[in-house]
């Protein structure tokens, strides 16, 4: 553990679709969408595979081609996640994130439609995996890297972070007139919606830590 004379900044991070992550300091990480770019190549390779004869050399080659595309996406994604989790962990001692199971973000893509054929389902699973933004892995990396530097990742309740005014605490669905904009119905605060949510996450992380900090201060006296 590294002991620092000056504590590092605290930051809240909202993980989402429009940006990969929005930080409470107003910065954002653009989504890399590695899978999106590879999806066409993957679908083409899957169609080619479907035309190959079972047990043939060409079929094996087609299977390998699909595996290569998936590996390329996974590697690029991992690089991206490592790069950005390192940047955040280097400059922040406390990182707040929503205690949202990442699974639920992609749950709608799973759907509940009547079970299609097995191979179709496998294929859909692969395509879904390739579109995964990697938030789960990102949180794990962040937690590890922040902890390595003596800080911590704080998970906070996710409820209403996007509908709450980070300025006056007013909560209302109408505070969020669009995906991108936050306008408070009470104090009139206007902000980037993701930044506002990230600020609420930071505030919750901060208040979650307060009792601990007070305890530490008392212990130090
Ligand atoms: Zn307000």
């Amino acid at each position: 553990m590294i002991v620092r004379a000056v504590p590092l900044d605290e930051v809240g991070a909202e993980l989402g679709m429009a940006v990969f992550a929005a930080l409470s300091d107003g910065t954002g990480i653009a989504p890399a969408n590695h899978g999106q770019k590879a999806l066409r190549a993957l679908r083409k390779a899957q169609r080619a595979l479907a035309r190959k004869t079972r047990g043939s050399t060409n079929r094996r080659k087609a299977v390998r081609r699909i595996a290569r595309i998936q590996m390329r996406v996974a590697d690029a994604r991992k690089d991206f996640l490592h790069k950005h989790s390192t940047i955040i962990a280097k400059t922040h001692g406390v990182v707040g994130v929503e205690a949202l199971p990442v699974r639920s973000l992609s749950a709608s893509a799973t759907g509940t439609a009547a079970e299609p054929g097995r191979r179709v389902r496998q294929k859909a699973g692969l395509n879904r995996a390739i579109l995964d933004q990697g938030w789960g892995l990102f949180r794990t990396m962040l937690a590890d890297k922040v902890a390595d530097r003596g800080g911590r990742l704080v998970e906070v309740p996710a409820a209403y972070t996007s509908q709450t005014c980070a300025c006056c605490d007013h909560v209302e669905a109408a505070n969020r007139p669009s995906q991108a904009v936050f306008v408070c119905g009470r104090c009139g605060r206007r902000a980037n919606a993701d930044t506002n949510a990230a600020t609420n996450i930071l505030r919750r992380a901060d208040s979650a830590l307060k009792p601990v900090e007070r305890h530490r201060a008392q212990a130090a006296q």
Side-chain angles (χ1 to χ4, degrees):
M1 187 189 275
I2 302 162
V3 179
R4 295 179 188 279
V6 180
L8 285 173
D9 281 348
E10 299 180 358
V11 74
E14 157 98 339
L15 308 179
M17 298 302 269
V19 287
F20 173 78
L23 304 183
S24 53
D25 62 12
T27 61
I29 302 169
N33 293 329
H34 297 105
Q36 198 75 52
K37 290 165 196 160
L39 198 57
R40 259 178 73 183
L42 182 66
R43 286 194 173 132
K44 195 176 155 199
Q46 282 166 339
R47 279 198 302 273
L49 173 65
R51 288 193 299 267
K52 303 290 184 264
T53 316
R54 234 166 229 292
S56 67
T57 308
N58 280 340
R59 188 181 155 86
R60 274 201 302 278
K61 279 185 189 168
V63 168
R64 272 206 298 275
R65 191 170 305 131
I66 290 173
R68 265 202 307 277
I69 294 168
Q70 287 165 332
M71 215 181 306
R72 204 165 58 219
V73 170
D75 285 347
R77 180 179 297 134
K78 214 179 271 180
D79 284 350
F80 172 86
L81 299 174
H82 267 305
K83 181 182 147 195
H84 289 288
S85 56
T86 299
I87 292 172
I88 294 175
K90 267 186 175 168
T91 47
H92 298 95
V94 171
V95 180
V97 292
E98 287 180 346
L100 177 80
V102 169
R103 201 171 296 258
S104 78
L105 281 172
S106 54
S108 58
T110 318
T112 51
E115 203 168 295
R118 201 167 137 252
R119 275 177 53 203
V120 176
R121 245 182 60 183
Q122 270 179 4
K123 204 153 87 174
L126 291 177
N127 290 358
R128 217 167 32 243
I130 214 166
L131 288 174
D132 177 23
Q133 294 286 340
W135 287 295
L137 190 54
F138 187 67
R139 287 157 72 109
T140 307
M141 286 179 177
L142 253 184
D144 288 349
K145 290 174 188 182
V146 174
D148 280 349
R149 292 167 170 84
R152 61 180 291 196
L153 188 81
V154 181
E155 296 203 345
V156 305
Y160 302 110
T161 49
S162 63
Q163 294 178 16
T164 305
C165 175
C167 205
C168 74
D169 279 329
H170 178 57
V171 184
E172 196 187 328
N175 283 349
R176 187 87 184 260
S178 76
Q179 188 61 32
V181 182
F182 182 93
V183 183
C184 179
R186 186 157 77 188
C187 77
R189 170 188 150 89
R190 200 181 163 84
N192 174 288
D194 289 327
T195 308
N196 179 74
T199 305
N200 287 324
I201 292 167
L202 169 62
R203 290 161 74 225
R204 287 180 190 185
D206 201 35
S207 61
L209 284 180
K210 276 283 152 56
V212 179
E213 296 299 320
R214 207 158 45 229
H215 181 75
R216 276 202 196 123
Q218 278 166 0
Q221 278 169 8

